[in-house]
PDB file of all heavy atoms in Angstrom:
ATOM      1  N   ALA V  10      -0.157   3.267  -0.152  1.00 95.00           N
ATOM      2  CA  ALA V  10      -1.230   3.878  -0.947  1.00 95.00           C
ATOM      3  C   ALA V  10      -0.657   4.833  -1.982  1.00 95.00           C
ATOM      4  O   ALA V  10      -1.106   4.866  -3.138  1.00 95.00           O
ATOM      5  CB  ALA V  10      -2.206   4.602  -0.025  1.00 95.00           C
ATOM      6  N   VAL V  11       0.349   5.612  -1.597  1.00 97.00           N
ATOM      7  CA  VAL V  11       0.993   6.515  -2.553  1.00 97.00           C
ATOM      8  C   VAL V  11       1.665   5.716  -3.654  1.00 97.00           C
ATOM      9  O   VAL V  11       1.545   6.038  -4.845  1.00 97.00           O
ATOM     10  CB  VAL V  11       2.011   7.417  -1.832  1.00 97.00           C
ATOM     11  CG1 VAL V  11       2.802   8.246  -2.846  1.00 97.00           C
ATOM     12  CG2 VAL V  11       1.317   8.332  -0.839  1.00 97.00           C
ATOM     13  N   ALA V  12       2.382   4.664  -3.283  1.00 97.00           N
ATOM     14  CA  ALA V  12       3.087   3.851  -4.270  1.00 97.00           C
ATOM     15  C   ALA V  12       2.117   3.244  -5.278  1.00 97.00           C
ATOM     16  O   ALA V  12       2.384   3.235  -6.486  1.00 97.00           O
ATOM     17  CB  ALA V  12       3.880   2.754  -3.568  1.00 97.00           C
ATOM     18  N   ARG V  13       0.995   2.749  -4.803  1.00 96.00           N
ATOM     19  CA  ARG V  13       0.007   2.156  -5.713  1.00 96.00           C
ATOM     20  C   ARG V  13      -0.563   3.206  -6.660  1.00 96.00           C
ATOM     21  O   ARG V  13      -0.737   2.959  -7.855  1.00 96.00           O
ATOM     22  CB  ARG V  13      -1.117   1.499  -4.908  1.00 96.00           C
ATOM     23  CG  ARG V  13      -0.693   0.227  -4.185  1.00 96.00           C
ATOM     24  CD  ARG V  13      -1.893  -0.484  -3.581  1.00 96.00           C
ATOM     25  NE  ARG V  13      -1.513  -1.750  -2.986  1.00 96.00           N
ATOM     26  CZ  ARG V  13      -1.752  -2.102  -1.735  1.00 96.00           C
ATOM     27  NH1 ARG V  13      -2.391  -1.253  -0.924  1.00 96.00           N
ATOM     28  NH2 ARG V  13      -1.389  -3.281  -1.268  1.00 96.00           N
ATOM     29  N   ASP V  14      -0.854   4.362  -6.107  1.00 96.00           N
ATOM     30  CA  ASP V  14      -1.408   5.436  -6.929  1.00 96.00           C
ATOM     31  C   ASP V  14      -0.411   5.875  -8.005  1.00 96.00           C
ATOM     32  O   ASP V  14      -0.766   6.037  -9.175  1.00 96.00           O
ATOM     33  CB  ASP V  14      -1.777   6.620  -6.036  1.00 96.00           C
ATOM     34  CG  ASP V  14      -2.213   7.831  -6.842  1.00 96.00           C
ATOM     35  OD1 ASP V  14      -3.272   7.780  -7.488  1.00 96.00           O
ATOM     36  OD2 ASP V  14      -1.471   8.841  -6.833  1.00 96.00           O
ATOM     37  N   VAL V  15       0.844   6.046  -7.609  1.00 97.00           N
ATOM     38  CA  VAL V  15       1.862   6.475  -8.566  1.00 97.00           C
ATOM     39  C   VAL V  15       2.071   5.413  -9.631  1.00 97.00           C
ATOM     40  O   VAL V  15       2.193   5.722 -10.824  1.00 97.00           O
ATOM     41  CB  VAL V  15       3.179   6.798  -7.835  1.00 97.00           C
ATOM     42  CG1 VAL V  15       4.305   7.032  -8.834  1.00 97.00           C
ATOM     43  CG2 VAL V  15       3.009   8.024  -6.946  1.00 97.00           C
ATOM     44  N   LEU V  16       2.109   4.152  -9.227  1.00 97.00           N
ATOM     45  CA  LEU V  16       2.311   3.080 -10.209  1.00 97.00           C
ATOM     46  C   LEU V  16       1.208   3.083 -11.253  1.00 97.00           C
ATOM     47  O   LEU V  16       1.476   2.915 -12.451  1.00 97.00           O
ATOM     48  CB  LEU V  16       2.374   1.726  -9.510  1.00 97.00           C
ATOM     49  CG  LEU V  16       2.448   0.510 -10.445  1.00 97.00           C
ATOM     50  CD1 LEU V  16       3.680   0.578 -11.346  1.00 97.00           C
ATOM     51  CD2 LEU V  16       2.427  -0.789  -9.651  1.00 97.00           C
ATOM     52  N   GLU V  17      -0.029   3.270 -10.841  1.00 96.00           N
ATOM     53  CA  GLU V  17      -1.119   3.262 -11.812  1.00 96.00           C
ATOM     54  C   GLU V  17      -0.994   4.421 -12.792  1.00 96.00           C
ATOM     55  O   GLU V  17      -1.293   4.285 -13.979  1.00 96.00           O
ATOM     56  CB  GLU V  17      -2.467   3.305 -11.090  1.00 96.00           C
ATOM     57  CG  GLU V  17      -2.792   2.007 -10.366  1.00 96.00           C
ATOM     58  CD  GLU V  17      -2.559   0.784 -11.244  1.00 96.00           C
ATOM     59  OE1 GLU V  17      -3.143   0.719 -12.359  1.00 96.00           O
ATOM     60  OE2 GLU V  17      -1.779  -0.098 -10.848  1.00 96.00           O
ATOM     61  N   ARG V  18      -0.539   5.568 -12.315  1.00 94.00           N
ATOM     62  CA  ARG V  18      -0.325   6.695 -13.229  1.00 94.00           C
ATOM     63  C   ARG V  18       0.882   6.490 -14.124  1.00 94.00           C
ATOM     64  O   ARG V  18       0.909   6.943 -15.271  1.00 94.00           O
ATOM     65  CB  ARG V  18      -0.178   7.991 -12.424  1.00 94.00           C
ATOM     66  CG  ARG V  18      -1.485   8.491 -11.831  1.00 94.00           C
ATOM     67  CD  ARG V  18      -1.296   9.843 -11.165  1.00 94.00           C
ATOM     68  NE  ARG V  18      -0.743   9.732  -9.827  1.00 94.00           N
ATOM     69  CZ  ARG V  18       0.167  10.536  -9.314  1.00 94.00           C
ATOM     70  NH1 ARG V  18       0.678  11.518 -10.062  1.00 94.00           N
ATOM     71  NH2 ARG V  18       0.595  10.391  -8.081  1.00 94.00           N
ATOM     72  N   ALA V  19       1.881   5.787 -13.610  1.00 93.00           N
ATOM     73  CA  ALA V  19       3.116   5.592 -14.373  1.00 93.00           C
ATOM     74  C   ALA V  19       3.052   4.387 -15.290  1.00 93.00           C
ATOM     75  O   ALA V  19       3.830   4.293 -16.244  1.00 93.00           O
ATOM     76  CB  ALA V  19       4.291   5.428 -13.402  1.00 93.00           C
ATOM     77  N   ARG V  20       2.140   3.455 -15.030  1.00 91.00           N
ATOM     78  CA  ARG V  20       2.118   2.170 -15.728  1.00 91.00           C
ATOM     79  C   ARG V  20       2.160   2.288 -17.255  1.00 91.00           C
ATOM     80  O   ARG V  20       2.883   1.539 -17.916  1.00 91.00           O
ATOM     81  CB  ARG V  20       0.887   1.369 -15.285  1.00 91.00           C
ATOM     82  CG  ARG V  20       0.873  -0.065 -15.765  1.00 91.00           C
ATOM     83  CD  ARG V  20      -0.410  -0.769 -15.328  1.00 91.00           C
ATOM     84  NE  ARG V  20      -0.534  -0.881 -13.891  1.00 91.00           N
ATOM     85  CZ  ARG V  20      -0.036  -1.890 -13.178  1.00 91.00           C
ATOM     86  NH1 ARG V  20       0.625  -2.854 -13.792  1.00 91.00           N
ATOM     87  NH2 ARG V  20      -0.201  -1.929 -11.876  1.00 91.00           N
ATOM     88  N   PRO V  21       1.403   3.217 -17.875  1.00 86.00           N
ATOM     89  CA  PRO V  21       1.447   3.281 -19.349  1.00 86.00           C
ATOM     90  C   PRO V  21       2.837   3.568 -19.912  1.00 86.00           C
ATOM     91  O   PRO V  21       3.130   3.186 -21.042  1.00 86.00           O
ATOM     92  CB  PRO V  21       0.473   4.420 -19.676  1.00 86.00           C
ATOM     93  CG  PRO V  21      -0.454   4.493 -18.512  1.00 86.00           C
ATOM     94  CD  PRO V  21       0.398   4.164 -17.336  1.00 86.00           C
ATOM     95  N   GLY V  22       3.687   4.225 -19.140  1.00 84.00           N
ATOM     96  CA  GLY V  22       5.011   4.556 -19.631  1.00 84.00           C
ATOM     97  C   GLY V  22       6.120   3.686 -19.096  1.00 84.00           C
ATOM     98  O   GLY V  22       7.272   3.848 -19.499  1.00 84.00           O
ATOM     99  N   TYR V  23       5.811   2.770 -18.179  1.00 88.00           N
ATOM    100  CA  TYR V  23       6.834   1.886 -17.626  1.00 88.00           C
ATOM    101  C   TYR V  23       7.054   0.688 -18.535  1.00 88.00           C
ATOM    102  O   TYR V  23       6.118   0.160 -19.148  1.00 88.00           O
ATOM    103  CB  TYR V  23       6.412   1.375 -16.247  1.00 88.00           C
ATOM    104  CG  TYR V  23       6.721   2.282 -15.079  1.00 88.00           C
ATOM    105  CD1 TYR V  23       7.347   3.512 -15.243  1.00 88.00           C
ATOM    106  CD2 TYR V  23       6.383   1.896 -13.784  1.00 88.00           C
ATOM    107  CE1 TYR V  23       7.618   4.333 -14.155  1.00 88.00           C
ATOM    108  CE2 TYR V  23       6.647   2.704 -12.686  1.00 88.00           C
ATOM    109  CZ  TYR V  23       7.254   3.923 -12.882  1.00 88.00           C
ATOM    110  OH  TYR V  23       7.518   4.728 -11.799  1.00 88.00           O
ATOM    111  N   HIS V  24       8.296   0.231 -18.590  1.00 83.00           N
ATOM    112  CA  HIS V  24       8.613  -1.031 -19.249  1.00 83.00           C
ATOM    113  C   HIS V  24       8.050  -2.171 -18.407  1.00 83.00           C
ATOM    114  O   HIS V  24       7.956  -2.060 -17.180  1.00 83.00           O
ATOM    115  CB  HIS V  24      10.133  -1.159 -19.378  1.00 83.00           C
ATOM    116  CG  HIS V  24      10.573  -2.288 -20.244  1.00 83.00           C
ATOM    117  ND1 HIS V  24      10.594  -3.598 -19.812  1.00 83.00           N
ATOM    118  CD2 HIS V  24      11.021  -2.319 -21.531  1.00 83.00           C
ATOM    119  CE1 HIS V  24      11.038  -4.374 -20.780  1.00 83.00           C
ATOM    120  NE2 HIS V  24      11.293  -3.627 -21.837  1.00 83.00           N
ATOM    121  N   PRO V  25       7.656  -3.302 -19.025  1.00 83.00           N
ATOM    122  CA  PRO V  25       7.150  -4.430 -18.230  1.00 83.00           C
ATOM    123  C   PRO V  25       8.108  -4.879 -17.135  1.00 83.00           C
ATOM    124  O   PRO V  25       7.673  -5.307 -16.061  1.00 83.00           O
ATOM    125  CB  PRO V  25       6.946  -5.537 -19.282  1.00 83.00           C
ATOM    126  CG  PRO V  25       6.697  -4.808 -20.560  1.00 83.00           C
ATOM    127  CD  PRO V  25       7.523  -3.563 -20.485  1.00 83.00           C
ATOM    128  N   ILE V  26       9.417  -4.791 -17.376  1.00 82.00           N
ATOM    129  CA  ILE V  26      10.391  -5.175 -16.358  1.00 82.00           C
ATOM    130  C   ILE V  26      10.278  -4.250 -15.151  1.00 82.00           C
ATOM    131  O   ILE V  26      10.298  -4.691 -13.998  1.00 82.00           O
ATOM    132  CB  ILE V  26      11.815  -5.143 -16.955  1.00 82.00           C
ATOM    133  CG1 ILE V  26      11.965  -6.216 -18.039  1.00 82.00           C
ATOM    134  CG2 ILE V  26      12.864  -5.330 -15.862  1.00 82.00           C
ATOM    135  CD1 ILE V  26      13.287  -6.130 -18.790  1.00 82.00           C
ATOM    136  N   THR V  27      10.144  -2.957 -15.404  1.00 89.00           N
ATOM    137  CA  THR V  27      10.008  -1.992 -14.311  1.00 89.00           C
ATOM    138  C   THR V  27       8.698  -2.201 -13.563  1.00 89.00           C
ATOM    139  O   THR V  27       8.665  -2.204 -12.332  1.00 89.00           O
ATOM    140  CB  THR V  27      10.075  -0.560 -14.861  1.00 89.00           C
ATOM    141  OG1 THR V  27      11.306  -0.379 -15.559  1.00 89.00           O
ATOM    142  CG2 THR V  27       9.970   0.458 -13.750  1.00 89.00           C
ATOM    143  N   THR V  28       7.611  -2.368 -14.297  1.00 92.00           N
ATOM    144  CA  THR V  28       6.312  -2.595 -13.667  1.00 92.00           C
ATOM    145  C   THR V  28       6.351  -3.799 -12.745  1.00 92.00           C
ATOM    146  O   THR V  28       5.874  -3.756 -11.604  1.00 92.00           O
ATOM    147  CB  THR V  28       5.226  -2.783 -14.737  1.00 92.00           C
ATOM    148  OG1 THR V  28       5.155  -1.611 -15.560  1.00 92.00           O
ATOM    149  CG2 THR V  28       3.868  -3.030 -14.099  1.00 92.00           C
ATOM    150  N   ALA V  29       6.938  -4.905 -13.231  1.00 90.00           N
ATOM    151  CA  ALA V  29       7.018  -6.116 -12.417  1.00 90.00           C
ATOM    152  C   ALA V  29       7.836  -5.876 -11.155  1.00 90.00           C
ATOM    153  O   ALA V  29       7.481  -6.352 -10.070  1.00 90.00           O
ATOM    154  CB  ALA V  29       7.626  -7.255 -13.231  1.00 90.00           C
ATOM    155  N   SER V  30       8.921  -5.119 -11.256  1.00 91.00           N
ATOM    156  CA  SER V  30       9.756  -4.844 -10.085  1.00 91.00           C
ATOM    157  C   SER V  30       8.986  -4.041  -9.040  1.00 91.00           C
ATOM    158  O   SER V  30       9.053  -4.339  -7.839  1.00 91.00           O
ATOM    159  CB  SER V  30      11.011  -4.084 -10.507  1.00 91.00           C
ATOM    160  OG  SER V  30      11.817  -4.860 -11.369  1.00 91.00           O
ATOM    161  N   VAL V  31       8.263  -3.011  -9.482  1.00 96.00           N
ATOM    162  CA  VAL V  31       7.506  -2.193  -8.545  1.00 96.00           C
ATOM    163  C   VAL V  31       6.380  -3.010  -7.911  1.00 96.00           C
ATOM    164  O   VAL V  31       6.134  -2.927  -6.697  1.00 96.00           O
ATOM    165  CB  VAL V  31       6.948  -0.941  -9.241  1.00 96.00           C
ATOM    166  CG1 VAL V  31       6.089  -0.127  -8.275  1.00 96.00           C
ATOM    167  CG2 VAL V  31       8.091  -0.074  -9.786  1.00 96.00           C
ATOM    168  N   GLU V  32       5.695  -3.803  -8.712  1.00 96.00           N
ATOM    169  CA  GLU V  32       4.615  -4.632  -8.173  1.00 96.00           C
ATOM    170  C   GLU V  32       5.134  -5.591  -7.104  1.00 96.00           C
ATOM    171  O   GLU V  32       4.461  -5.833  -6.093  1.00 96.00           O
ATOM    172  CB  GLU V  32       3.938  -5.404  -9.305  1.00 96.00           C
ATOM    173  CG  GLU V  32       3.082  -4.531 -10.214  1.00 96.00           C
ATOM    174  CD  GLU V  32       2.495  -5.285 -11.382  1.00 96.00           C
ATOM    175  OE1 GLU V  32       3.076  -6.325 -11.781  1.00 96.00           O
ATOM    176  OE2 GLU V  32       1.468  -4.842 -11.913  1.00 96.00           O
ATOM    177  N   GLN V  33       6.326  -6.146  -7.325  1.00 94.00           N
ATOM    178  CA  GLN V  33       6.893  -7.056  -6.327  1.00 94.00           C
ATOM    179  C   GLN V  33       7.178  -6.334  -5.022  1.00 94.00           C
ATOM    180  O   GLN V  33       6.941  -6.879  -3.934  1.00 94.00           O
ATOM    181  CB  GLN V  33       8.171  -7.689  -6.884  1.00 94.00           C
ATOM    182  CG  GLN V  33       7.922  -8.702  -7.989  1.00 94.00           C
ATOM    183  CD  GLN V  33       9.203  -9.137  -8.674  1.00 94.00           C
ATOM    184  OE1 GLN V  33      10.303  -8.763  -8.263  1.00 94.00           O
ATOM    185  NE2 GLN V  33       9.081  -9.925  -9.727  1.00 94.00           N
ATOM    186  N   VAL V  34       7.692  -5.111  -5.106  1.00 95.00           N
ATOM    187  CA  VAL V  34       7.978  -4.351  -3.896  1.00 95.00           C
ATOM    188  C   VAL V  34       6.690  -4.049  -3.145  1.00 95.00           C
ATOM    189  O   VAL V  34       6.617  -4.193  -1.910  1.00 95.00           O
ATOM    190  CB  VAL V  34       8.725  -3.049  -4.250  1.00 95.00           C
ATOM    191  CG1 VAL V  34       8.742  -2.090  -3.061  1.00 95.00           C
ATOM    192  CG2 VAL V  34      10.149  -3.359  -4.672  1.00 95.00           C
ATOM    193  N   ILE V  35       5.659  -3.650  -3.859  1.00 96.00           N
ATOM    194  CA  ILE V  35       4.378  -3.357  -3.207  1.00 96.00           C
ATOM    195  C   ILE V  35       3.784  -4.616  -2.590  1.00 96.00           C
ATOM    196  O   ILE V  35       3.243  -4.592  -1.478  1.00 96.00           O
ATOM    197  CB  ILE V  35       3.404  -2.717  -4.214  1.00 96.00           C
ATOM    198  CG1 ILE V  35       3.915  -1.322  -4.630  1.00 96.00           C
ATOM    199  CG2 ILE V  35       1.999  -2.612  -3.627  1.00 96.00           C
ATOM    200  CD1 ILE V  35       3.099  -0.650  -5.717  1.00 96.00           C
ATOM    201  N   ALA V  36       3.912  -5.740  -3.301  1.00 94.00           N
ATOM    202  CA  ALA V  36       3.355  -6.997  -2.784  1.00 94.00           C
ATOM    203  C   ALA V  36       4.053  -7.441  -1.502  1.00 94.00           C
ATOM    204  O   ALA V  36       3.450  -8.111  -0.656  1.00 94.00           O
ATOM    205  CB  ALA V  36       3.466  -8.092  -3.851  1.00 94.00           C
ATOM    206  N   ARG V  37       5.316  -7.075  -1.343  1.00 90.00           N
ATOM    207  CA  ARG V  37       6.075  -7.469  -0.147  1.00 90.00           C
ATOM    208  C   ARG V  37       5.936  -6.464   0.991  1.00 90.00           C
ATOM    209  O   ARG V  37       6.593  -6.611   2.026  1.00 90.00           O
ATOM    210  CB  ARG V  37       7.558  -7.632  -0.493  1.00 90.00           C
ATOM    211  CG  ARG V  37       7.871  -8.776  -1.430  1.00 90.00           C
ATOM    212  CD  ARG V  37       9.359  -9.095  -1.398  1.00 90.00           C
ATOM    213  NE  ARG V  37      10.174  -7.949  -1.771  1.00 90.00           N
ATOM    214  CZ  ARG V  37      10.652  -7.733  -2.993  1.00 90.00           C
ATOM    215  NH1 ARG V  37      10.375  -8.585  -3.963  1.00 90.00           N
ATOM    216  NH2 ARG V  37      11.398  -6.668  -3.246  1.00 90.00           N
ATOM    217  N   ALA V  38       5.110  -5.450   0.817  1.00 88.00           N
ATOM    218  CA  ALA V  38       4.980  -4.412   1.838  1.00 88.00           C
ATOM    219  C   ALA V  38       4.522  -5.026   3.158  1.00 88.00           C
ATOM    220  O   ALA V  38       3.672  -5.920   3.186  1.00 88.00           O
ATOM    221  CB  ALA V  38       3.978  -3.351   1.384  1.00 88.00           C
ATOM    222  N   PRO V  39       5.082  -4.556   4.270  1.00 80.00           N
ATOM    223  CA  PRO V  39       4.666  -5.088   5.580  1.00 80.00           C
ATOM    224  C   PRO V  39       3.180  -4.884   5.815  1.00 80.00           C
ATOM    225  O   PRO V  39       2.609  -3.853   5.446  1.00 80.00           O
ATOM    226  CB  PRO V  39       5.502  -4.270   6.575  1.00 80.00           C
ATOM    227  CG  PRO V  39       6.639  -3.707   5.775  1.00 80.00           C
ATOM    228  CD  PRO V  39       6.105  -3.518   4.379  1.00 80.00           C
ATOM    229  N   GLU V  40       2.569  -5.875   6.420  1.00 72.00           N
ATOM    230  CA  GLU V  40       1.155  -5.756   6.773  1.00 72.00           C
ATOM    231  C   GLU V  40       0.998  -4.729   7.892  1.00 72.00           C
ATOM    232  O   GLU V  40       1.776  -4.709   8.845  1.00 72.00           O
ATOM    233  CB  GLU V  40       0.603  -7.107   7.227  1.00 72.00           C
ATOM    234  CG  GLU V  40       0.521  -8.144   6.126  1.00 72.00           C
ATOM    235  CD  GLU V  40      -0.534  -7.806   5.094  1.00 72.00           C
ATOM    236  OE1 GLU V  40      -1.501  -7.102   5.460  1.00 72.00           O
ATOM    237  OE2 GLU V  40      -0.386  -8.228   3.934  1.00 72.00           O
ATOM    238  N   PRO V  41      -0.019  -3.843   7.809  1.00 64.00           N
ATOM    239  CA  PRO V  41      -0.225  -2.874   8.894  1.00 64.00           C
ATOM    240  C   PRO V  41      -0.618  -3.574  10.188  1.00 64.00           C
ATOM    241  O   PRO V  41      -1.322  -4.583  10.179  1.00 64.00           O
ATOM    242  CB  PRO V  41      -1.363  -1.990   8.366  1.00 64.00           C
ATOM    243  CG  PRO V  41      -2.066  -2.836   7.345  1.00 64.00           C
ATOM    244  CD  PRO V  41      -1.005  -3.710   6.727  1.00 64.00           C
ATOM    245  N   ALA V  42      -0.129  -3.072  11.281  1.00 56.00           N
ATOM    246  CA  ALA V  42      -0.466  -3.647  12.584  1.00 56.00           C
ATOM    247  C   ALA V  42      -1.945  -3.411  12.881  1.00 56.00           C
ATOM    248  O   ALA V  42      -2.494  -2.349  12.557  1.00 56.00           O
ATOM    249  CB  ALA V  42       0.394  -3.008  13.670  1.00 56.00           C
ATOM    250  N   PRO V  43      -2.618  -4.387  13.471  1.00 56.00           N
ATOM    251  CA  PRO V  43      -4.043  -4.191  13.791  1.00 56.00           C
ATOM    252  C   PRO V  43      -4.216  -3.082  14.821  1.00 56.00           C
ATOM    253  O   PRO V  43      -3.379  -2.889  15.708  1.00 56.00           O
ATOM    254  CB  PRO V  43      -4.468  -5.554  14.360  1.00 56.00           C
ATOM    255  CG  PRO V  43      -3.193  -6.179  14.841  1.00 56.00           C
ATOM    256  CD  PRO V  43      -2.120  -5.697  13.915  1.00 56.00           C
ATOM    257  N   ALA V  44      -5.311  -2.351  14.672  1.00 51.00           N
ATOM    258  CA  ALA V  44      -5.601  -1.259  15.619  1.00 51.00           C
ATOM    259  C   ALA V  44      -5.917  -1.846  16.990  1.00 51.00           C
ATOM    260  O   ALA V  44      -6.615  -2.857  17.101  1.00 51.00           O
ATOM    261  CB  ALA V  44      -6.770  -0.433  15.107  1.00 51.00           C
ATOM    262  N   PRO V  45      -5.389  -1.251  18.049  1.00 50.00           N
ATOM    263  CA  PRO V  45      -5.672  -1.778  19.396  1.00 50.00           C
ATOM    264  C   PRO V  45      -7.145  -1.613  19.755  1.00 50.00           C
ATOM    265  O   PRO V  45      -7.791  -0.638  19.375  1.00 50.00           O
ATOM    266  CB  PRO V  45      -4.778  -0.920  20.299  1.00 50.00           C
ATOM    267  CG  PRO V  45      -4.543   0.342  19.524  1.00 50.00           C
ATOM    268  CD  PRO V  45      -4.534  -0.067  18.078  1.00 50.00           C
ATOM    269  N   VAL V  46      -7.656  -2.598  20.454  1.00 46.00           N
ATOM    270  CA  VAL V  46      -9.040  -2.557  20.910  1.00 46.00           C
ATOM    271  C   VAL V  46      -9.030  -2.205  22.401  1.00 46.00           C
ATOM    272  O   VAL V  46      -8.398  -2.891  23.206  1.00 46.00           O
ATOM    273  CB  VAL V  46      -9.742  -3.906  20.678  1.00 46.00           C
ATOM    274  CG1 VAL V  46     -11.170  -3.852  21.217  1.00 46.00           C
ATOM    275  CG2 VAL V  46      -9.714  -4.253  19.204  1.00 46.00           C
ATOM    276  N   SER V  47      -9.704  -1.143  22.765  1.00 43.00           N
ATOM    277  CA  SER V  47      -9.719  -0.723  24.173  1.00 43.00           C
ATOM    278  C   SER V  47     -11.161  -0.643  24.659  1.00 43.00           C
ATOM    279  O   SER V  47     -12.079  -0.406  23.876  1.00 43.00           O
ATOM    280  CB  SER V  47      -9.044   0.642  24.329  1.00 43.00           C
ATOM    281  OG  SER V  47      -9.726   1.610  23.563  1.00 43.00           O
ATOM    282  N   PRO V  48     -11.376  -0.833  25.955  1.00 42.00           N
ATOM    283  CA  PRO V  48     -12.745  -0.703  26.482  1.00 42.00           C
ATOM    284  C   PRO V  48     -13.224   0.734  26.384  1.00 42.00           C
ATOM    285  O   PRO V  48     -12.440   1.672  26.326  1.00 42.00           O
ATOM    286  CB  PRO V  48     -12.598  -1.144  27.949  1.00 42.00           C
ATOM    287  CG  PRO V  48     -11.157  -0.863  28.272  1.00 42.00           C
ATOM    288  CD  PRO V  48     -10.392  -1.136  26.999  1.00 42.00           C
ATOM    289  N   VAL V  49     -14.528   0.888  26.396  1.00 38.00           N
ATOM    290  CA  VAL V  49     -15.113   2.222  26.351  1.00 38.00           C
ATOM    291  C   VAL V  49     -14.937   2.875  27.708  1.00 38.00           C
ATOM    292  O   VAL V  49     -15.352   2.345  28.738  1.00 38.00           O
ATOM    293  CB  VAL V  49     -16.610   2.158  25.989  1.00 38.00           C
ATOM    294  CG1 VAL V  49     -17.225   3.552  26.030  1.00 38.00           C
ATOM    295  CG2 VAL V  49     -16.766   1.539  24.610  1.00 38.00           C
ATOM    296  N   LEU V  50     -14.248   4.000  27.730  1.00 36.00           N
ATOM    297  CA  LEU V  50     -14.001   4.703  28.980  1.00 36.00           C
ATOM    298  C   LEU V  50     -15.099   5.723  29.256  1.00 36.00           C
ATOM    299  O   LEU V  50     -15.839   6.111  28.361  1.00 36.00           O
ATOM    300  CB  LEU V  50     -12.642   5.401  28.916  1.00 36.00           C
ATOM    301  CG  LEU V  50     -11.436   4.468  28.672  1.00 36.00           C
ATOM    302  CD1 LEU V  50     -10.159   5.293  28.603  1.00 36.00           C
ATOM    303  CD2 LEU V  50     -11.342   3.413  29.768  1.00 36.00           C
ATOM    304  N   GLU V  51     -15.145   6.142  30.507  1.00 35.00           N
ATOM    305  CA  GLU V  51     -16.155   7.122  30.887  1.00 35.00           C
ATOM    306  C   GLU V  51     -15.969   8.385  30.067  1.00 35.00           C
ATOM    307  O   GLU V  51     -14.865   8.888  29.908  1.00 35.00           O
ATOM    308  CB  GLU V  51     -16.029   7.447  32.381  1.00 35.00           C
ATOM    309  CG  GLU V  51     -17.114   8.383  32.881  1.00 35.00           C
ATOM    310  CD  GLU V  51     -16.999   8.645  34.361  1.00 35.00           C
ATOM    311  OE1 GLU V  51     -16.129   8.023  34.999  1.00 35.00           O
ATOM    312  OE2 GLU V  51     -17.765   9.475  34.871  1.00 35.00           O
ATOM    313  N   GLY V  52     -17.035   8.856  29.530  1.00 37.00           N
ATOM    314  CA  GLY V  52     -16.981  10.068  28.739  1.00 37.00           C
ATOM    315  C   GLY V  52     -16.827   9.804  27.256  1.00 37.00           C
ATOM    316  O   GLY V  52     -16.981  10.726  26.463  1.00 37.00           O
ATOM    317  N   GLU V  53     -16.467   8.554  26.868  1.00 34.00           N
ATOM    318  CA  GLU V  53     -16.350   8.245  25.452  1.00 34.00           C
ATOM    319  C   GLU V  53     -17.731   7.947  24.887  1.00 34.00           C
ATOM    320  O   GLU V  53     -18.612   7.423  25.584  1.00 34.00           O
ATOM    321  CB  GLU V  53     -15.449   7.028  25.238  1.00 34.00           C
ATOM    322  CG  GLU V  53     -13.975   7.333  25.423  1.00 34.00           C
ATOM    323  CD  GLU V  53     -13.130   6.158  24.997  1.00 34.00           C
ATOM    324  OE1 GLU V  53     -13.623   5.026  25.016  1.00 34.00           O
ATOM    325  OE2 GLU V  53     -11.959   6.391  24.639  1.00 34.00           O
ATOM    326  N   PRO V  54     -17.963   8.258  23.628  1.00 34.00           N
ATOM    327  CA  PRO V  54     -19.263   7.972  23.038  1.00 34.00           C
ATOM    328  C   PRO V  54     -19.466   6.479  22.847  1.00 34.00           C
ATOM    329  O   PRO V  54     -18.527   5.752  22.569  1.00 34.00           O
ATOM    330  CB  PRO V  54     -19.194   8.698  21.692  1.00 34.00           C
ATOM    331  CG  PRO V  54     -17.734   8.741  21.364  1.00 34.00           C
ATOM    332  CD  PRO V  54     -17.047   8.892  22.672  1.00 34.00           C
TER     333      PRO V  54
END
């Protein structure tokens, strides 16, 4: 999220070669692991 935000702010001043390199790195970012699903325990809402 930080990388995407910074790239958008930097994009007007980046060379197309630099922009493409950063976009490729962001596109290859590891997918976040899915959140674990747990049963509702006593006392949980």
Side-chain angles (χ1 to χ4, degrees):
V11 173
R13 289 189 175 125
D14 174 67
V15 171
L16 174 59
E17 289 312 305
R18 287 186 279 140
R20 189 182 296 272
Y23 276 0
H24 190 281
I26 294 173
T27 302
T28 300
S30 296
V31 177
E32 288 176 335
Q33 289 170 6
V34 167
I35 293 175
R37 294 196 301 264
E40 292 291 334
V46 178
S47 60
V49 177
L50 301 179
E51 184 178 355
E53 285 189 335

